[in-house]
Amino acid sequence: MMGGGGQQQLQQLSQELEAIDEEIGELEGEIDDLQTRQSEIDDAIEAVQTLDSGSMVQVPLGGGAYIRAEVQDIDEVIVDLGGGYAAEQDQGDAVEALERKRDVLDDRIDDVQDEISELEAESDEIEQQAQQMQQQMQQQQMQQLQQQQQGEDE
């Protein structure tokens, strides 16, 4: 007889499903952040490709404050290399560096989407186990009721 043990197993499976759902939510949030960074990189690539020396731009100072500035030389672009390092590059090299950063983000997004797919498959498997367990418990309850009825009829 499954009884309380079956209920305990169902509760454990339910907790596992909740943990998986939470992890999927976190990973989806990570994808959103990565896509935001990609969009920023795309904007930077477009700016580097379209701006000319002498163009007026708004430069962020932080805290939502900006100043207008004139681009003195578009061939001198400073690109963040990561790890706290940046380098001055010409326009073409800057675009290539930004495209490489975007490609790294693409790869990370693919990896995270793969993780989500694996978690969803695991979740589906756990849900199937829980459904089977519930069906078995219901069948056992029906058998017990039938046995009780037969015992009362005798």
Side-chain angles (χ1 to χ4, degrees):
M1 177 163 110
M2 235 178 211
Q7 285 297 115
Q8 194 173 22
Q9 286 177 323
L10 279 174
Q11 188 166 355
Q12 182 179 356
L13 291 175
S14 176
Q15 289 171 347
E16 287 178 33
L17 285 171
E18 285 179 33
I20 289 171
D21 286 345
E22 188 175 313
E23 191 171 348
I24 288 172
E26 289 172 7
L27 291 172
E28 287 172 341
E30 183 178 344
I31 287 176
D32 288 343
D33 293 344
L34 293 168
Q35 288 172 334
T36 297
R37 289 172 49 196
Q38 271 185 324
S39 179
E40 291 170 356
I41 289 171
D42 288 339
D43 291 345
I45 290 170
E46 182 180 349
V48 170
Q49 289 175 332
T50 59
L51 286 175
D52 294 319
S53 295
S55 297
M56 291 298 287
V57 294
Q58 291 185 7
V59 179
L61 298 174
Y66 296 82
I67 61 168
R68 284 198 176 92
E70 182 180 329
V71 177
Q72 290 183 355
D73 187 356
I74 194 63
D75 285 332
E76 296 175 5
V77 180
I78 299 172
V79 178
D80 178 20
L81 301 175
Y85 294 97
E88 186 175 300
Q89 298 179 333
D90 67 30
Q91 196 173 11
D93 289 342
V95 168
E96 287 178 22
L98 290 167
E99 287 172 342
R100 282 192 303 272
K101 288 173 75 168
R102 186 183 55 208
D103 291 344
V104 168
L105 293 176
D106 279 337
D107 292 343
R108 179 62 188 144
I109 288 171
D110 289 343
D111 291 345
V112 173
Q113 286 174 332
D114 289 345
E115 288 180 53
I116 289 172
S117 294
E118 289 174 17
L119 288 169
E120 287 173 340
E122 185 178 342
S123 176
D124 290 345
E125 188 176 312
I126 291 172
E127 284 178 2
Q128 286 178 344
Q129 287 177 358
Q131 287 175 351
Q132 287 174 349
M133 196 173 290
Q134 283 179 321
Q135 288 173 351
Q136 287 174 350
M137 289 172 60
Q138 288 173 347
Q139 287 174 351
Q140 286 179 350
Q141 288 173 349
M142 290 297 291
Q143 288 173 353
Q144 288 173 352
L145 284 173
Q146 288 175 350
Q147 289 172 356
Q148 286 176 352
Q149 287 177 348
Q150 286 174 354
E152 290 173 3
D153 289 343
E154 292 176 5

